[in-house]
């Protein structure tokens, strides 16, 4: 039985392919390279010393998808395909709903046709909207997402819940990621956004490598220890390992729809990240304090207990590792 990985050349997808191959899974990977590079596929093979089938295609292409299910014995699907830029989703909501929601539906409907009912979904902590309590547990209220990207994640979660309610032979893991950062320690794969990054860590990395002049810190008047926003940053390799554990859970007898936070449970401020990045990489990150970014929340971090108890998931990498690995990848490019 093989695992179909959609969006396997992307940031989280590529790291997960590495961990799956290391754990002995056989893979079929698809990607349309709309936000990733073809060279990533070779790099996954170099890191692991293992081979897998790869198809360059859009996961909305149902006939090609069917061909994959006919040609391979697929046992489970992990879905990383989808658009992920928050700001862009506000500009292009239709594109986001088509690619993320319709894409997931085409995939799920094809799975149903071929009798494949194990599904791992890349969701996001953004589904919690404005948190009512911190740390966030999986039973916290979801909804009132603040942008179409977040709403696509919320809608797909609801679709999965409805599918499971209608047919309890499905086996589904919804993984709510907190803030994935860092890169593989080889420096061969990592986060490589086009243009000016929106997220903190890739922005800092571009300042460190002098591609951008200075970081703007969006507000230092939040009710946090130093006034800057606090988030739960998780090393992408830890996050990738969470997918292997989730697949193992789906391989067990008991069927279900399981929801897990994948975070560390630790909150770090923007200034913590800047200071740590400077220290471990021996670089300077010039910054200025600017206005708060619209829609930003002061403090957001996970309670990771459920994933620890039910999956055995514990994030082991430190903030030093996250900053070091992010910079190593950028320096090697
Ligand atoms: N942030 C910042 N400057 C930037 C990008 C982000 O000060 O150029 C802050 C942002 O306000 C938040 C934290 O860094 O407090 C993490 O932001 P990111 O966009 O990476 O993640 P998200 O807000 O989606 O959790």
């Amino acid at each position: 039985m093989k695992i179909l990985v959609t969006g396997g050349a992307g940031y989280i997808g590529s790291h997960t392919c590495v961990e799956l191959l290391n754990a002995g899974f056989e893979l079929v990977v698809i990607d349309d390279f709309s936000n990733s590079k073809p060279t990533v596929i070779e790099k996954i093979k170099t890191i692991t010393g293992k081979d897998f089938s790869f198809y360059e295609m859009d996961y909305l292409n149902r006939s090609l998808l069917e061909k994959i299910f006919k040609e391979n014995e697929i046992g489970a699907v992990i879905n990383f395909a989808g658009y992920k830029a928050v700001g862009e989703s506000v500009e292009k909501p239709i594109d986001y709903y088509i690619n993320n929601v319709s894409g997931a539906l085409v995939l799920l409907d094809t799975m149903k046709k071929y009798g494949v009912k194990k599904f791992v979904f890349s969701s996001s902590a953004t589904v919690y909207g404005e948190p009512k309590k911190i740390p966030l547990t999986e039973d916290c209220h979801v909804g009132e997402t603040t942008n179409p990207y977040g709403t696509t994640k919320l809608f797909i979660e609801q679709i999965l819940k409805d599918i499971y309610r209608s047919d309890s032979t499905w086996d589904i893991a919804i993984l709510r990621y907190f803030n994935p950062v860092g890169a593989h320690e080889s420096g061969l794969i990592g986060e490589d956004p086009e243009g000016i990054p929106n997220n903190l860590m890739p922005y800092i990395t571009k300042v460190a490598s002098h591609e951008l002049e200075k970081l703007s810190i969006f507000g230092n008047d939040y009710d946090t220890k130093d006034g800057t926003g606090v988030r739960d940053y998780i090393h992408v390799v830890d996050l990738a390992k969470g997918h292997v554990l989730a697949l193992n859970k789906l391989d067990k007898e008991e069927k279900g729809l399981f929801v897990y936070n994948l975070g560390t449970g630790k909150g770090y401020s923007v200034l913590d990240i800047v200071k740590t990045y400077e220290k471990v990489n021996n670089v300077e990150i010039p910054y200025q304090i600017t206005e708060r970014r619209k829609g930003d929340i002061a403090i957001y971090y996970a309670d990771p207990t459920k994933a620890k108890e039910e999956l055995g998931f514990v994030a082991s990498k430190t903030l030093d590792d996250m900053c070091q690995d992010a910079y190593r990848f950028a320096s090697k490019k």
Side-chain angles (χ1 to χ4, degrees):
M1 286 293 210
K2 293 180 181 170
I3 312 297
L4 173 63
V5 182
T6 71
Y11 176 44
I12 301 169
S14 59
H15 289 82
T16 302
C17 286
V18 167
E19 296 308 321
L20 289 168
L21 290 163
N22 284 344
F25 286 97
E26 285 189 73
L27 305 186
V28 177
V29 177
I30 70 172
D31 205 298
D32 65 355
F33 301 126
S34 58
N35 191 25
S36 60
K37 299 204 172 76
T39 49
V40 171
I41 299 302
E42 285 317 308
K43 289 177 178 167
I44 296 170
K45 293 180 182 173
T46 305
I47 292 169
T48 59
K50 299 204 173 146
D51 203 4
F52 52 86
S53 329
F54 175 76
Y55 298 77
E56 181 176 348
M57 59 167 281
D58 181 348
Y59 76 143
L60 276 153
N61 187 329
R62 181 161 184 139
S63 58
L64 279 181
L65 208 51
E66 291 215 17
K67 186 169 163 288
I68 290 174
F69 279 81
K70 279 187 205 130
E71 287 177 2
N72 300 276
E73 212 179 316
I74 305 291
V77 177
I78 309 187
N79 181 21
F80 295 104
Y83 294 154
K84 62 171 188 180
V86 169
E88 187 186 57
S89 77
V90 178
E91 306 297 318
K92 302 177 178 173
I94 296 177
D95 291 4
Y96 271 68
Y97 286 112
I98 290 179
N99 193 44
N100 293 7
V101 181
S102 304
L105 283 169
V106 168
L107 192 56
L108 289 159
D109 197 32
T110 310
M111 288 175 68
K112 183 172 153 236
K113 180 167 174 187
Y114 289 87
V116 180
K117 293 186 174 178
K118 288 184 199 296
F119 189 68
V120 179
F121 177 60
S122 300
S123 190
S124 165
T126 191
V127 298
Y128 293 116
E130 177 91 43
K132 308 267 180 304
K133 69 162 183 144
I134 291 290
L136 286 149
T137 47
E138 289 82 351
D139 55 7
C140 282
H141 171 79
V142 294
E144 287 98 51
T145 40
T146 50
N147 55 76
Y149 160 75
T151 311
T152 66
K153 296 291 175 189
L154 187 71
F155 285 177
I156 297 167
E157 284 203 6
Q158 187 58 49
I159 289 167
L160 293 171
K161 287 172 190 164
D162 290 338
I163 290 174
Y164 182 71
R165 202 173 294 140
S166 77
D167 174 0
S168 60
T169 65
W170 279 82
D171 219 0
I172 297 169
I174 291 173
L175 305 179
R176 293 182 182 151
Y177 308 156
F178 280 71
N179 290 57
V181 294
H184 191 264
E185 62 182 10
S186 64
L188 288 176
I189 54 172
E191 190 169 17
D192 196 6
E194 295 278 335
I196 296 177
N198 297 304
N199 296 111
L200 181 64
M201 190 67 94
Y203 201 104
I204 291 180
T205 300
K206 287 209 190 255
V207 173
S209 53
H210 306 292
E211 283 174 67
L212 292 169
E213 194 193 327
K214 61 176 145 182
L215 171 71
S216 294
I217 295 184
F218 301 141
N220 67 349
D221 56 353
Y222 286 105
D223 187 13
T224 61
K225 62 173 186 173
D226 58 26
T228 65
V230 167
R231 294 289 181 277
D232 187 335
Y233 297 92
I234 176 169
H235 195 293
V236 65
V237 171
D238 279 329
L239 188 74
K241 288 179 177 162
H243 294 74
V244 177
L245 296 171
L247 260 190
N248 289 341
K249 166 98 183 164
L250 298 190
D251 271 340
K252 295 204 178 107
E253 224 23 39
E254 173 206 6
K255 302 257 175 282
L257 181 140
F258 309 97
V259 183
Y260 298 108
N261 285 338
L262 293 185
T264 65
K266 291 193 197 89
Y268 287 109
S269 73
V270 177
L271 283 172
D272 286 334
I273 307 294
V274 171
K275 295 280 170 315
T276 307
Y277 202 101
E278 290 186 318
K279 180 191 74 181
V280 299
N281 295 315
N282 199 20
V283 292
E284 227 190 302
I285 308 296
Y287 66 83
Q288 60 185 354
I289 307 290
T290 60
E291 292 287 286
R292 289 182 178 194
R293 183 171 66 180
K294 208 168 151 267
D296 262 358
I297 286 154
I299 305 183
Y300 220 73
Y301 62 92
D303 179 338
T305 311
K306 189 174 175 222
K308 183 178 177 190
E309 286 178 355
E310 295 186 19
L311 300 179
F313 175 77
V314 179
S316 65
K317 299 217 180 236
T318 63
L319 185 58
D320 284 14
D321 298 327
M322 301 179 209
C323 294
Q324 246 163 4
D325 292 342
Y327 188 59
R328 184 185 304 111
F329 171 67
S331 313
K332 267 203 168 187
K333 264 201 309 167

